[in-house]
Amino acid sequence: MSHTGEWKVRLHLFEEDDGTTKAHVVLDTGTTEMSGSGTAHCNPADRNVPEIGDELAVGRAMDDLAQQLLNTADRDIQGMAGSRPNTRQTAAWPV
């Protein structure tokens, strides 16, 4: 059985005057929404390069979202099959 889907992702970046960059990512699966957040702080001794702050904040927001997705998959798998190994350890779905 084939399965095709489309999930939408929105990403919002906010830079504050103190050298802090915040990222907020929202995943819309069509049936539910999940969000992740990340922050990056520029060291006052370093040159402020906004692109680096963006990359760090976005990477952290996506990592936050990824961990939530993996945790949701863990719960869904356990709900379907009773007590099963964590998805990070399941051979059928390597992570």
Side-chain angles (χ1 to χ4, degrees), residues 12-50:
H12 308 276
L13 285 167
F14 309 92
E15 187 165 338
E16 298 176 359
D17 292 334
D18 67 352
T20 300
T21 303
K22 294 181 179 180
H24 183 77
V25 62
V26 179
L27 173 67
D28 181 354
T29 68
T31 57
T32 190
E33 280 192 0
M34 299 177 80
S35 64
S37 60
T39 304
H41 305 279
C42 182
N43 185 319
D46 292 340
R47 186 170 59 110
N48 188 10
V49 181

Side-chain angles (χ1 to χ4, degrees), residues 61-82:
M62 292 181 137
D63 183 57
D64 180 33
L65 180 60
Q67 291 304 313
Q68 291 179 54
L69 284 166
L70 290 169
N71 290 337
T72 299
D74 280 342
R75 285 190 304 274
D76 290 347
I77 289 169
Q78 292 198 13
M80 291 182 67

Side-chain angles (χ1 to χ4, degrees), residues 78-94:
Q78 292 198 13
M80 291 182 67
S83 180
R84 296 227 8 209
N86 184 294
T87 55
R88 291 165 190 88
Q89 301 166 350
T90 305
W93 295 95

